[in-house]
Amino acid sequence: MSVWRVLRWLMVMIVMSDAIMCLPNTRHQVWRVGSRGSNVVQQLLVAGMLDVLNHSGSSRTVRVPPESLTEVKDALQDAGIPYQVLIHDLAAHLQAADEEGRERRSADNSSCTVSSCPAPLNTHYMTFSQMEWYLRDVNTSSPTRITVSSIGKSVEGRNIWLAHILPSQPSDKAVWLEAGLHAREWISPAVALHLIHHMITNTSATSSVDVFIVPMANPDGYVYTWITDRLWRKNRRVNGGARCDGVDLNRNWDSHFGVGASNNPCSEVYQGPSAFSEPETKALRDAMLKLKDNLELVLALHSYGQDLLYPWGWSTGEEAPGKHDLIAIGQVFTQAVKNATGTEYAVKNAAEGYYVASGATDDWAMEALHTKYVYTLELRDQGRQGFLLEPANILACSEEIWQGITQVIKKINA
Ligand code: ARG
Ligand code: ZN
């Protein structure tokens, strides 16, 4: 073998091993932390030591990166909290379970291409480009039903699109729906796109309200989940001087900024350097402020948990104005969902039912805009597939949420 061939072979090996080493989530472990562990887990989350993947009842499922395995173990042992290792190497696990990935590679996506995308896909999750092709298509094909415009650009310069579904009669009532603020929650934008489609094809349900839908509020993060790290949550801000990227866009709103969030850029709940430091939250805020007086319902779509959360999220001590109406209308929603597909959703207070977290869309809409009905909706499922929810759920999940939302709109306008 010539020296050059050996050298070339060496180079290829180095590049390959580098690629393997750089796979996101390599040697990250998934642990189940036993009951009474929620406070320690919250502290470790804020400190940037772990990521919370599931929080049912008092137990937590967490992702622990290799560099903090020892510290997390010590913290749990010191507090006398039991834990169990569920997955030893998350990267290997993700590769094996990468259902969307496999589909993505072999998918027949021919019904949604750059030249024509007449309807959202329901057997596959859509790429950000496909979402844009769909929005462009309906904007040109249904000009009397919908107007799509950009309300701003992301950190990396992608458009944040707002779909305005036009009522058939003049209206002074508006509904706001935000989706995709957290990158890995793929079912959220998928449902939002199907809601848009339902609303432009079935005109009667929303004929007397202006509906505004942002189907993808964090396009950079979403693209990153397709290309690099399926479990990415934040936006793609490069945090100057810090080792870690990204701001949690649902901790960046100016409402009790910094409570139940983190000032550590390595934390999954990093609030950012100041409230509204991010172009994505600024764009949403400005568009919502323009509608301020007309907004009667604000709904932020997230996943997962099958819960409809009402404010406040920043404190367990204070009661949200109109709490009883929030619960009553919430129950209209969950009942309609159940009637549609049998899926059970629960109405909960955000802080008590989940955890204390401020700087989110919901609290800001209630506090700054005084919108009466404000919720964060945690879509399917309850943790079996979690963020990796199979695309086979897209259609039924969209259908149940469509039924829930139309019943709520009917009820609050009755
Ligand atoms: N899963 C959502 C999040 O972590 C829940 C937000 C609920 N609202 C709140 N203000 N805490 O962002
Ligand atoms: Zn979320």
Side-chain angles (χ1 to χ4, degrees), residues 181-182 185 233 250 301-303 378 387:
L181 199 65
H182 285 146
E185 300 165 7
R233 166 181 166 101
N250 215 26
L301 302 187
H302 287 251
S303 81
E378 301 282 354
F387 301 120

Side-chain angles (χ1 to χ4, degrees), residues 206-354:
T206 57
S207 60
S208 58
V209 283
D210 285 274
V211 181
F212 295 88
I213 303 184
V214 176
M216 177 40 71
N218 176 11
D220 299 350
Y222 187 71
V223 168
Y224 195 73
T225 60
W226 273 77
I227 294 171
T228 311
D229 182 354
R230 177 65 183 84
L231 290 178
W232 189 259
R233 166 181 166 101
K234 302 185 279 182
N235 75 348
R236 290 297 302 151
R237 163 75 70 197
V238 175
N239 295 312
R243 171 168 68 79
C244 305
D245 299 332
V247 169
D248 183 349
L249 296 176
N250 215 26
R251 300 290 180 277
N252 189 243
W253 298 68
D254 191 10
S255 172
H256 302 272
F257 182 76
V259 181
S262 176
N263 56 17
N264 177 348
C266 290
S267 172
E268 291 295 340
V269 291
Y270 176 47
Q271 65 212 30
S274 57
F276 293 124
S277 56
E278 304 310 293
E280 294 89 352
T281 45
K282 258 189 232 156
L284 295 166
R285 172 199 66 190
D286 293 344
M288 290 168 89
L289 277 171
K290 286 189 195 147
L291 306 168
K292 186 178 189 307
D293 297 329
N294 295 353
L295 281 181
E296 35 174 38
L297 170 67
V298 167
L299 195 62
L301 302 187
H302 287 251
S303 81
Y304 51 88
Q306 291 173 205
D307 290 308
L308 185 65
L309 307 174
Y310 63 88
W312 303 108
W314 70 273
S315 158
T316 50
E318 260 169 84
E319 201 165 282
K323 176 181 162 180
H324 296 289
D325 290 343
L326 281 164
I327 295 173
I329 291 298
Q331 279 159 355
V332 168
F333 177 89
T334 53
Q335 190 57 51
V337 167
K338 193 164 176 210
N339 293 346
T341 59
T343 312
E344 308 236 11
Y345 282 67
V347 182
K348 294 179 184 162
N349 167 254
E352 272 160 22
Y354 275 40

